[in-house]
Amino acid sequence: MKILVPVKQVASIDGDFTLDGAGELDPRALHWQANEWDAFSLEAALQLAESSSAGEGFEVVVVTVADEHGEEGLRACLAMGADRALRVWDPALAGVDDPLAIAAVLAAVARREDPGLILCGVQSSDSANAATGVALAGLLELPRVAVVTAIEQDGGGLTVQRELDGGAVEVLRLSLPALLTIQTGINEPRRANLRAIKLARSKPSATLALSDLDLDVSDVREVAGARTVRLLERGRGEGASMIEGPAEAIAGRIVELVTRELRA
Amino acid sequence: MDFTEPQDSRAIRDAVRALCERFPGEYWRGLEPDRYPSEFVAALTDQGWLAALIPEEHGGSGLPLATASVILEEICASGANAGACHAQMYTMGTLLRHGSEAQKRSYLPRIAAGELRLQAFAVTEPGAGSDTTQITTRAERTADGYVVNGQKIWTSRAEHSDLMVLLARTTPIEQLEKRTGGLSVFLLDMRDRGAELTISPIKTMMNHATTEVFFEDLELPAEALIGEEGEGFGYILDGMNAERILIAAECIGDCRFFLDRAVAYANERVVFGRPIGANQGVQFPLARAHMAMSAADLVRWKAAWLYDQGLPAGAEANMAKYLASEASWEAANAALDTHGGFGFAQEYDIERKFRETRLYKTAPVNNNLVQAYVGQHVLGLPRSY
Amino acid sequence: MSGGVLVLGEIGDDGLRPSTLELIAAGLELADGGAGRVAVALIGADAPAHVQAVSVAGVEEVILAAPERERFEAHVWEAALGALIEARRPAVVLAGHTADSLGFAPAVAARLRLGFASDVTWVAWEQGGPLARRGAYGERLIAELDFPAKETVLLLLRPGACGARADADAGAGGTGASARISRVELDLDGVARTERIELREAPAGEVDIAKADFLLSIGRGVGGGERIGELERLARLMGATLSGSGPLVEAGLLSRARKVGQSGRTVAPRVYLALGISGAAPHVAGMSKARTIIAVNSDPGARIFDVAHYGAVADLFEVAAELERQLS
């Protein structure tokens, strides 16, 4: 069985930054790293592949939609144990980060690869849409469960647990092919060792253009759900009214405030 | 000019850092004053990090020196001490470059697998420090090998190594035509030795497992000789450039450790109603240390690049080691000053790393000797010593 | 009906979720801005039981879609919402950014090529269409989004973030007086694709921090975890629920259910007492709607003081010890 694991490099902002007048961010303020959730979804895929009897021929394929900056993340996935990497890129995709648009690209990849299981991270830590995976499931009309915290193989299908708001857990069974979005903490992602990092370079990896997927950039842009008008800085708030004095005085004032506010 | 880091650096940094996180400051403090970090070294060996430079056909990873230097840099930047194991990475270079096929086949795969440790390099003697040509430890030819008598000092990790690369005199000094001749290199198996081999630890200001080693009629088989008899000095010099570049990378890692800690503390610690980092007296030394580190790092990369291209790297390797060790000492002092009294408190790890990084101004080559080298061999000035 | 706002109510195992009333309040605000009429859709076998609760003044219609499935099932809800949208063609659909919605709403949006944004924290009707805001770059910035050429825009609103709190705005429930009730028949044969085997309640001692009135929340400032016990004791003494920031959860010092912020819970208690929390953006995003925020941190430059109403620069353990002394 083939397991497809979509991954991305996420942007974070280090230190100081400024927005220009048009509400755009200088890309130099961005720092790229692997999305935290992806290590968990890849680990889940690797564990499924390893737990099956050796003869079954599992293949774990990682895919990203990114320019060449995505290569580093893919190599890290190969070093962790993925068998093959795919990167989809077309210059016309520059600036496209809408979850529905990315899902449309991934859907074309999935139709080509025909995986038995797709494991996505619940969300990415930069834009946190928590939407790409389930949008992909919708486009492929796959059974899916979002925010999965445990997976077990169950005959030809899977038994999974999903996290509900408030800490309850729902246990579900679903048949394959299927898509799951994986929550952090579901497992302990392995770390690559030196041999694996070197070996990663010799694993197969390919770059696909939109035309290889029979997609046109207008198809992708049309399904995008939203357009960013501008970026805004977060308000700094009014600032706190400061309580001065020794710990004793601070504690006294806190007791007073808590009592008043809870009674109100 | 391309300033991109070597291939896979990011992945290596992440993986090494993750490993080091399992060995936090408490681990290193707990080892003081003189316990060896066996668990840490075992973890590094397990994951193949110490076999980075051993070629693939001998069971290692065959990485370029530049990439290997990233491993040691990251170990130091995390707050760990690479001094406990860095020699495992490069001591085998002498064997690799000058050993026979049989020696390489017999030792390298087991070193790569962690079954054998080769991290003792016995060169310096009480009577011969920087002037290696004056060593007196003698290896005398016998019918079926050699007999060694003499003494070495500052032989680090000898107690934690199975094998030792030993430099000994095979021709008496008075019979030499060339000052640098008459020395030979041996691969000494230290296991199962009796009174002929005595290793005594030397207590130092940091936990570095260094020793004195005494040889008394110690017998070596003829196969222990590496390369040609009498060519040992050249073989040893050969390995020094790699060592210096790797030590430079460790110093860069130390700089990063000191600056990360000091900057965090300077931003957080408030005295007189503002973070102490707002004071130029705190901030500027950190800025200077950062600049010194950045400059040293460029020379380190250049030296590593030259080395990996097979080009002469002596000047750059020495300069990188000098600049990086001076920068890490500057960063160490700035970090100590930034932390004030807490810099002296053990739980902050500043004082430990301060002691550890100070070594590299003195070893593996004294910074004065680097200046002498640059003056004489790079600038063409008269010999100064 | 074409245009207008369709609010998708959420019915959980424990009944109508309070976030539904927040969604209605947000829908009514859009209507005030010119978005058109507000209808509320309820999907679920027991949907009819909640008609009155959602019939808030201003809601013109309550649409019931009652599949035979007793419980939430992502594919059934996906089919139901898809059918509702195709039948009514609303300008805006509002749903919660919740564990259930995340299993089907993005799929509906992708299949029907809707305008879409999730985890929305602000929405308004401007120049004939919706304008939404959500976090960007790990909540460091806010992105303002529009939806050109989209007939229907599906927005998932972050619970507790849009408009005022449910109990303040929409009242504890509606009167049922003015809303028209209609039913939509759905052909849902064969769309169920997953099967619930069981529901495990939150383990005993586990809490829903989103329901607490008083949270005592701790952050990296507590150090390595040796002294968390002192703070647990203090929370019990004060009658507070213990919660915390991401780093403590990731370090395994606090259970995941107690995590406030991005990838944790969004909370809006009456009192939020933050001890040793620096106030990184992903955390603040999850607690800035608390009514009273009191922060104790040894760093006067900590960002938490920008959102706190009351602050003290002090050692948190000294203050905790004093609190304990004064309260016992």
Side-chain angles (χ1 to χ4, degrees):
Chain A
M1 182 169 81
K2 190 185 284 181
I3 305 180
L4 188 65
V5 182
V7 299
K8 79 180 265 201
Q9 294 286 99
V10 295
S12 59
I13 302 175
D14 279 349
D16 293 333
F17 63 92
T18 45
L19 294 175
D20 66 12
E24 285 180 21
L25 184 66
D26 184 336
R28 283 171 302 185
L30 296 176
H31 164 90
W32 295 89
Q33 60 198 51
N35 179 34
E36 184 189 343
W37 275 262
D38 297 345
F40 295 92
S41 51
L42 177 56
E43 177 65 34
L46 296 172
Q47 287 184 9
L48 282 173
E50 286 161 359
S51 68
S52 66
S53 50
E56 264 185 79
F58 266 81
E59 188 188 20
V60 176
V61 182
V62 287
V63 56
T64 194
V65 181
D67 62 13
E68 59 274 16
H69 288 102
E71 286 292 336
E72 188 170 41
L74 289 179
R75 266 208 310 281
C77 293
L78 292 173
M80 239 180 102
D83 298 302
R84 184 156 62 88
L86 292 170
R87 180 167 69 85
V88 182
W89 189 243
D90 192 302
L93 286 173
V96 174
D97 64 350
D98 182 90
L100 304 190
I102 299 296
V105 176
L106 292 174
V109 173
R111 286 188 188 108
R112 188 184 140 112
E113 291 285 329
D114 195 26
L117 181 63
I118 303 177
L119 298 181
C120 301
V122 166
Q123 61 181 8
S124 61
S125 52
D126 53 353
S127 45
N129 293 298
T132 310
V134 171
L136 175 58
L139 293 173
L140 299 172
E141 298 186 23
L142 287 177
R144 100 296 310 232
V145 178
V147 198
V148 168
T149 54
I151 308 174
E152 262 178 66
Q153 281 183 292
D154 176 1
L158 296 172
T159 297
V160 303
Q161 295 181 12
R162 138 179 119 97
E163 185 178 281
L164 302 183
D165 299 321
V169 167
E170 187 180 32
V171 184
L172 297 149
R173 185 177 292 142
L174 72 170
S175 59
L176 297 176
L179 181 147
L180 307 176
T181 75
I182 304 296
Q183 179 63 305
T184 53
I186 186 174
N187 51 38
E188 177 129 0
R190 67 198 64 190
R191 294 291 181 163
N193 62 29
L194 183 51
R195 181 170 296 273
I197 290 169
K198 275 210 74 186
L199 194 67
R201 258 186 259 149
S202 56
K203 288 185 176 176
S205 120
T207 305
L208 303 172
L210 286 180
S211 55
D212 296 321
L213 298 167
D214 293 324
L215 280 177
D216 188 90
V217 72
S218 61
D219 299 335
V220 177
R221 289 185 178 275
E222 210 174 282
V223 295
R227 177 177 73 175
T228 301
V229 183
R230 58 176 175 158
L231 292 171
L232 305 165
E233 296 201 37
R234 225 160 241 294
R236 293 281 286 176
E238 308 269 299
S241 146
M242 300 307 285
I243 309 166
E244 309 288 345
E248 187 182 351
I250 293 167
R253 177 79 175 124
I254 289 174
V255 171
E256 205 177 287
L257 286 167
V258 168
T259 314
R260 191 185 76 196
E261 293 301 321
L262 289 180
R263 201 184 296 134
Chain B
M1 195 135 333
D2 182 353
F3 290 98
T4 319
E5 288 208 336
Q7 212 171 18
D8 296 328
S9 292
R10 175 76 176 268
I12 288 172
R13 287 184 194 282
D14 288 350
V16 171
R17 183 143 294 246
L19 185 152
C20 291
E21 276 170 14
R22 288 159 41 202
F23 301 91
E26 300 89 64
Y27 172 77
W28 295 96
R29 293 196 293 277
L31 296 173
E32 299 247 314
D34 56 7
R35 203 162 73 72
Y36 188 73
S38 308
E39 304 81 4
F40 177 69
V41 175
L44 283 174
T45 307
D46 265 5
Q47 291 197 2
W49 299 110
L50 298 180
L53 289 170
I54 298 178
E56 283 177 320
E57 70 261 31
H58 295 301
S61 297
L63 289 185
L65 189 73
T67 313
S69 78
V70 169
I71 299 171
L72 294 177
E73 177 194 332
E74 210 55 41
I75 290 173
C76 289
S78 80
N81 179 10
C85 54
H86 54 200
Q88 176 102 328
M89 220 183 237
Y90 54 73
T91 307
M92 63 84 209
T94 310
L95 173 61
L96 176 65
R97 280 187 302 274
H98 306 290
S100 66
E101 266 314 304
Q103 285 170 327
K104 287 192 258 186
R105 269 202 310 276
S106 137
Y107 291 108
L108 290 177
R110 285 192 286 159
I111 294 171
E115 293 161 18
L116 273 181
R117 279 197 200 155
L118 167 55
Q119 53 174 352
F121 196 34
V123 178
T124 305
E125 297 181 3
S130 297
D131 188 359
T132 306
T133 59
Q134 297 305 302
I135 66 162
T136 57
T137 294
R138 184 85 165 89
E140 267 181 289
R141 191 100 218 210
T142 61
D144 49 359
Y146 297 85
V147 170
V148 182
N149 281 287
Q151 180 192 356
K152 295 286 175 184
I153 194 167
W154 311 125
T155 307
S156 295
R157 299 160 299 267
E159 290 178 294
H160 305 283
S161 188
D162 303 308
L163 305 173
M164 167 188 278
V165 171
L166 167 69
L167 184 69
R169 180 163 299 287
T170 38
T171 309
I173 204 157
E174 54 279 9
Q175 296 172 20
L176 291 178
E177 288 168 20
K178 206 172 71 170
R179 223 168 48 86
T180 54
L183 302 178
S184 301
V185 172
F186 298 92
L187 187 63
L188 160 60
D189 194 331
M190 296 191 284
R191 293 170 300 172
D192 305 320
R193 294 287 182 175
E196 76 253 62
L197 177 70
T198 309
I199 303 175
S200 40
I202 305 173
K203 291 200 163 130
T204 62
M205 70 184 213
M206 71 289 185
N207 184 3
H208 196 72
T210 198
T211 69
E212 268 183 298
V213 184
F214 302 88
F215 309 96
E216 202 178 328
D217 294 333
L218 178 135
E219 289 183 11
L220 283 175
E223 308 88 78
L225 178 71
I226 294 179
E228 306 274 326
E229 197 179 284
E231 297 298 321
F233 186 74
Y235 299 165
I236 295 289
L237 279 189
D238 240 14
M240 285 179 172
N241 288 340
E243 182 182 24
R244 282 164 203 184
I245 294 165
L246 292 174
I247 296 289
E250 285 183 44
C251 292
I252 297 296
D254 283 344
C255 283
R256 285 173 47 209
F257 170 84
F258 288 121
L259 289 171
D260 286 354
R261 291 294 180 95
V263 167
Y265 189 79
N267 276 323
E268 190 180 281
R269 171 78 171 163
V270 173
V271 180
F272 303 121
R274 55 187 201 155
I276 58 171
N279 299 307
Q280 294 182 351
V282 171
Q283 185 179 113
F284 288 7
L286 296 174
R288 284 196 300 271
H290 178 81
M291 290 189 275
M293 172 183 80
S294 302
D297 203 23
L298 288 178
V299 183
R300 165 260 189 122
W301 288 120
K302 184 179 179 192
W305 181 84
L306 289 167
Y307 184 94
D308 285 330
Q309 302 300 309
L311 297 169
E316 282 75 9
N318 274 290
M319 292 192 290
K321 184 269 178 189
Y322 175 96
L323 291 169
S325 63
E326 294 291 337
S328 70
W329 183 235
E330 187 174 348
N333 277 288
L336 191 77
D337 285 334
T338 299
H339 281 77
F342 292 106
F344 294 82
Q346 292 178 350
E347 68 166 299
Y348 283 74
D349 292 315
I350 300 295
E351 60 85 32
R352 173 176 60 82
K353 292 288 285 182
F354 179 94
R355 289 179 282 122
E356 286 168 5
T357 208
R358 178 60 180 78
L359 174 65
Y360 300 122
K361 274 165 65 82
T362 306
V365 58
N366 193 294
N367 275 359
N368 274 341
L369 216 60
V370 176
Q371 293 173 74
Y373 173 91
V374 171
Q376 183 184 354
H377 296 288
V378 179
L379 299 180
L381 293 164
R383 182 180 162 108
S384 59
Y385 55 95
Chain C
M1 148 181 171
S2 178
V5 180
L6 179 69
V7 172
L8 182 63
E10 191 164 315
I11 302 167
D13 283 287
D14 48 358
L16 188 73
R17 299 234 164 95
S19 57
T20 301
L21 299 175
E22 293 172 17
L23 296 173
I24 294 171
L28 292 171
E29 273 179 38
L30 286 177
D32 287 347
R37 303 181 309 160
V38 176
V40 178
L42 294 174
I43 306 174
D46 55 349
H50 303 290
V51 169
Q52 179 151 346
V54 301
S55 300
V56 174
V59 171
E60 293 196 10
E61 184 185 8
V62 178
I63 309 168
L64 300 176
E68 284 169 11
R69 303 291 286 189
E70 236 176 86
R71 304 186 182 285
F72 171 77
E73 205 277 324
H75 303 81
V76 175
W77 264 239
E78 175 184 338
L81 179 62
L84 277 167
I85 290 172
E86 295 202 304
R88 302 296 181 113
R89 307 210 165 272
V92 179
V93 181
L94 299 180
H97 186 82
T98 61
D100 283 354
S101 303
L102 291 177
F104 69 93
V108 174
R111 280 201 297 109
L112 302 184
R113 302 199 160 198
L114 307 180
F116 175 77
S118 58
D119 205 14
V120 170
T121 54
W122 178 91
V123 58
W125 188 263
E126 304 226 337
Q127 295 172 342
L131 197 62
R133 290 183 187 164
R134 68 188 309 283
Y137 300 104
E139 301 276 351
R140 282 291 295 274
L141 293 174
I142 295 165
E144 190 166 274
L145 308 172
D146 69 359
F147 308 88
K150 297 288 185 182
E151 187 186 349
T152 297
V153 177
L154 170 55
L155 300 175
L156 304 186
L157 307 191
R158 177 185 293 185
C162 277
R165 294 195 63 194
D167 56 1
D169 242 73
T175 59
S178 56
R180 180 161 50 86
I181 297 168
S182 53
R183 283 170 204 277
V184 174
E185 298 308 322
L186 302 168
D187 178 13
L188 296 172
D189 271 357
V191 300
R193 307 287 291 279
T194 56
E195 178 196 353
R196 176 188 273 194
I197 298 172
E198 64 171 313
L199 178 73
R200 293 186 198 152
E201 293 303 331
E206 204 49 284
V207 286
D208 186 355
I209 56 172
K211 288 186 177 150
D213 265 345
F214 178 15
L215 288 174
L216 191 162
S217 208
I218 57 180
R220 220 194 285 261
V222 303
E226 305 82 9
R227 301 183 70 183
I228 284 184
E230 292 172 39
L231 301 166
E232 284 170 350
R233 201 169 61 219
L234 177 65
R236 275 197 302 276
L237 190 65
M238 297 185 85
T241 302
L242 191 70
S243 60
S245 64
L248 293 189
V249 175
E250 302 317 329
L253 300 172
L254 211 59
S255 75
R256 184 159 290 279
R258 292 181 192 266
K259 178 173 173 182
V260 174
Q262 192 190 22
S263 84
R265 309 299 312 279
T266 298
V267 298
R270 285 163 174 246
V271 180
Y272 191 86
L273 175 56
L275 301 181
I277 288 179
S278 64
H283 179 80
V284 169
M287 49 64 77
S288 58
K289 297 279 173 179
R291 201 172 61 184
T292 302
I293 300 168
I294 308 169
V296 178
N297 199 297
S298 57
D299 173 10
R303 298 161 76 103
I304 191 76
F305 293 127
D306 296 332
V307 292
H309 303 101
Y310 300 92
V313 178
D315 180 288
L316 75 93
F317 288 107
E318 283 177 27
V319 173
E322 268 303 319
L323 282 169
E324 193 165 340
R325 196 182 60 77
Q326 294 180 22
L327 290 167
S328 45

